[in-house]
Amino acid sequence: MSKQHAGVILRIYPGSLAEELELVPGDKIVSINGQELRDIIDLSFAMADEEIDLLIEHADGEQEMISFDKEFDEELGVEFESAVFDGIRNCANHCYFCFVDMIAPNMRGSLSIKDDDYRLSFLYGNFVTMTNMGPADFKRIEQFHLSPLYVSVQCMNPELRAQMLRCKGAARIAEQLDNLEQAGAEYHTQVVLCNGLNDGEELERTIREIVARRPHAQSLAIVPVGITKYRTDPFPLTQFDAAGAARVIDQVEKWQRKIQQEEGRTFIYLGDEFYLLAGREVPPSEFYDGFPQLDNGIGLTRNFINDWEKTASAADRYEEPVYLDVVSGTSVAPMLEKLASSLAKDNLHVRIVPVENDHFGHTVNVSGLLTAKDIMRKLDSLEGRRTGILIPESALRSGEDIFLDDVTLQELQAHYPEARIEPVQGGKDFREALSGWTTYHKDRQGETAYTWQSNAGYTKNIQY
């Protein structure tokens, strides 16, 4: 078996079976009971046996067979460098709206990975187009019960979909969804909505056909296309303005009311940015049916507000004045301002600092794509006292204190020695930081350090 098909161990969990077997980070799992492993799915099923022959390759290249007995449900207790051992299946499409193609140059390589791997869809909720899938893939989905999956539909008009994805095979979307259903898989769907392209009557058709695929189709998310200043694709795309966003909301609400009357749930959800752009309140919690597409930016604003409201404010009073600057993307700044102003606390002074994204372009308005240089540019322009700075944790690489422009959190802190800097993620953190700044500290240790960049036209990180 080739080395690239081995699972490289990143971390050993304390007290685990792997620790007992004296495995160490850097060891590679080559096979289990003679079975070659393509990914952690194969590994999980292979480890279900009670008698295990584990072939390990150590960092020096030496291979060792370790044989042992285990309980049926006992896990190995390791974290791997990648969930797929044979390499991430790359996207072969050339979509009009591909956000990965709009990433700024000279940024870390992981941001430019265009994955379209159904295994990562099952494991992590990444959206896939299915244009690179064949009969063997659907057979494996059925064999291992890989459900639910997450599918980027974009539109159900086959000719238009092939055009938008620049892939002839994209026209087979209905057939591919049929294949998923025949494999027994449920799936969540997404439409990256492009102004004047797959909206209007095309969106109406897409909604109608996806709604007809219930119950295999579990949900439909509609998110607005994101465009950065680095987009070079010759096909013209424009983002929605406030009036356009309002039209989309009105169109979709008719379907939402219909489905709610039919089965008591919403099923179709709009990205938060539509509501923020149109100046409308985001829907209440019950509208989101348990937030099935929260990681896709669907309901993050409402979830943030809910977490804020459920969190009790610290009872202590500030004896000395506290001046906090709260850094955010421009889209969520009004919501943060409203929440902060509702927290009456003596000696607490909160300033919301919406940062325009010079790095990617001002059309990118989410917090998760802010760079340290843009944050510093904005903060340096402000006068007044500053006790602390709250930054969106989503702007930091998962598991590491590094911004997208490779500036570290420590370097940002050194630039503002007079103010303590703390990351904030979610409404709970936000309220605890404002109400109990003297003791607030966000421990980010233990987070997964490896994530995958999804090939979507919309950045999912609209949250603070």
Side-chain angles (χ1 to χ4, degrees):
M1 184 178 186
S2 63
K3 291 184 178 181
Q4 75 175 99
H5 289 180
V8 182
I9 296 175
L10 173 69
R11 186 175 294 116
I12 304 290
Y13 297 140
S16 66
L17 178 58
E19 184 178 63
E20 181 181 337
L21 296 173
E22 299 183 345
L23 302 182
V24 298
D27 282 344
K28 301 175 182 178
I29 298 182
V30 179
S31 67
I32 296 177
N33 291 346
Q35 178 184 340
E36 297 183 348
L37 308 173
R38 292 163 289 186
D39 45 48
I40 62 173
I41 299 170
D42 279 346
L43 182 137
S44 177
F45 277 85
M47 282 295 295
D49 288 343
E50 296 179 350
E51 296 180 356
I52 300 293
D53 291 327
L54 187 68
L55 181 59
I56 297 294
E57 181 175 306
H58 299 294
D60 59 4
E62 180 182 352
Q63 292 193 347
E64 177 186 8
M65 180 69 76
I66 305 176
S67 299
F68 57 93
D69 295 335
K70 57 177 281 294
E71 298 295 330
F72 172 78
D73 58 352
E74 188 175 8
E75 298 180 350
L76 189 58
V78 303
E79 184 177 332
F80 292 94
E81 289 188 355
S82 174
V84 290
F85 307 155
D86 57 356
I88 294 174
R89 186 177 295 188
N90 290 330
C91 178
N93 309 316
H94 301 282
C95 302
Y96 291 164
F97 48 83
C98 179
F99 197 82
V100 177
D101 287 343
M102 301 184 236
I103 295 293
N106 302 319
M107 302 197 75
R108 69 174 64 99
S110 60
L111 295 175
S112 298
I113 296 174
K114 296 174 63 173
D115 75 83
D116 202 14
D117 197 318
Y118 74 91
R119 299 170 297 178
L120 300 184
S121 182
F122 168 69
L123 293 167
Y124 300 105
N126 287 12
F127 280 88
V128 293
T129 66
M130 300 196 297
T131 59
N132 60 8
M133 292 174 60
D137 299 313
F138 291 103
K139 183 177 180 180
R140 191 175 187 226
I141 288 170
E142 181 176 15
Q143 177 187 2
F144 290 144
H145 308 289
L146 305 184
S147 176
L149 297 179
Y150 294 77
V151 181
S152 281
V153 171
Q154 317 313 6
C155 66
M156 289 301 293
N157 179 333
E159 291 78 16
L160 178 58
R161 189 171 191 261
Q163 173 191 333
M164 292 179 65
L165 274 59
R166 292 193 178 101
C167 175
K168 291 182 179 180
R172 299 170 53 228
I173 179 61
E175 176 189 340
Q176 297 284 63
L177 292 177
D178 288 343
N179 291 339
L180 276 186
E181 294 172 11
Q182 291 164 10
E186 296 176 338
Y187 52 87
H188 297 273
T189 61
Q190 170 187 255
V191 168
V192 176
L193 201 62
C194 301
N195 193 12
L197 191 59
N198 60 341
D199 57 351
E201 288 301 317
E202 291 293 348
L203 178 59
E204 196 74 10
R205 172 179 175 172
T206 299
I207 294 174
R208 183 172 60 252
E209 295 192 21
I210 295 299
V211 165
R213 288 181 172 274
R214 295 171 296 169
H216 286 285
Q218 291 288 294
S219 68
L220 169 60
I222 303 167
V223 298
V225 66
I227 302 174
T228 81
K229 68 181 183 181
Y230 296 102
R231 183 175 187 266
T232 59
D233 194 296
F235 187 89
L237 283 181
T238 59
Q239 292 184 289
F240 288 94
D241 58 14
R247 284 194 298 271
V248 173
I249 294 172
D250 293 340
Q251 178 183 8
V252 172
E253 279 184 345
K254 296 175 182 178
W255 280 97
Q256 291 168 331
R257 288 193 293 268
K258 179 178 183 296
I259 298 171
Q260 285 169 342
Q261 291 173 356
E262 289 177 357
E263 56 181 75
R265 66 182 181 124
T266 306
F267 182 79
I268 308 171
Y269 317 101
L270 286 169
D272 293 15
E273 194 170 7
F274 281 114
Y275 300 103
L276 299 174
L277 188 57
R280 299 190 186 183
E281 291 289 328
V282 295
S285 297
E286 56 269 20
F287 184 92
Y288 291 101
D289 306 324
F291 300 92
Q293 291 213 36
L294 189 66
D295 288 342
N296 196 24
I298 305 298
L300 279 171
T301 302
R302 173 53 60 191
N303 194 61
F304 189 103
I305 295 171
N306 289 347
D307 286 347
W308 166 279
E309 292 176 344
K310 290 187 296 186
T311 303
S313 296
D316 59 310
R317 297 166 60 96
Y318 291 126
E319 300 299 331
E320 300 292 334
V322 172
Y323 298 87
L324 299 180
D325 279 347
V326 180
V327 172
S328 79
T330 56
S331 62
V332 296
M335 181 266 290
L336 297 177
E337 184 75 55
K338 183 177 181 180
L339 293 179
S341 64
S342 70
L343 186 65
K345 205 169 184 65
D346 292 340
N347 279 331
L348 175 63
H349 307 275
V350 179
R351 177 168 58 183
I352 305 300
V353 183
V355 178
E356 288 194 322
N357 199 318
D358 282 349
H359 190 87
F360 286 100
H362 292 180
T363 55
V364 177
N365 55 20
V366 296
S367 301
L369 289 177
L370 290 177
T371 63
K373 292 184 178 66
D374 279 344
I375 292 172
M376 289 188 286
R377 171 188 50 76
K378 180 64 176 181
L379 290 174
D380 288 348
S381 70
L382 302 178
E383 298 180 351
R385 298 180 62 183
R386 182 180 289 140
T387 306
I389 302 170
L390 302 183
I391 62 165
E393 187 174 358
S394 56
L396 297 169
R397 186 178 181 181
S398 180
E400 297 183 59
D401 291 338
I402 303 175
F403 292 88
L404 288 174
D405 53 357
D406 287 331
V407 176
T408 67
L409 184 59
Q410 291 73 21
E411 289 171 332
L412 183 68
Q413 179 65 81
H415 192 74
Y416 300 102
E418 79 287 357
R420 174 161 56 95
I421 298 178
E422 291 286 352
V424 172
Q425 182 82 358
K428 180 177 183 292
D429 285 354
F430 186 45
R431 185 157 193 164
E432 288 180 347
L434 297 191
S435 62
W437 176 250
T438 53
T439 57
Y440 176 83
H441 176 66
K442 183 64 181 295
D443 185 4
R444 302 182 68 243
Q445 293 183 357
E447 293 188 7
T448 301
Y450 288 82
T451 58
W452 286 266
Q453 173 73 32
S454 181
N455 179 22
Y458 173 78
T459 177
K460 294 185 282 188
N461 229 332
I462 197 171
Q463 65 193 59
Y464 176 74

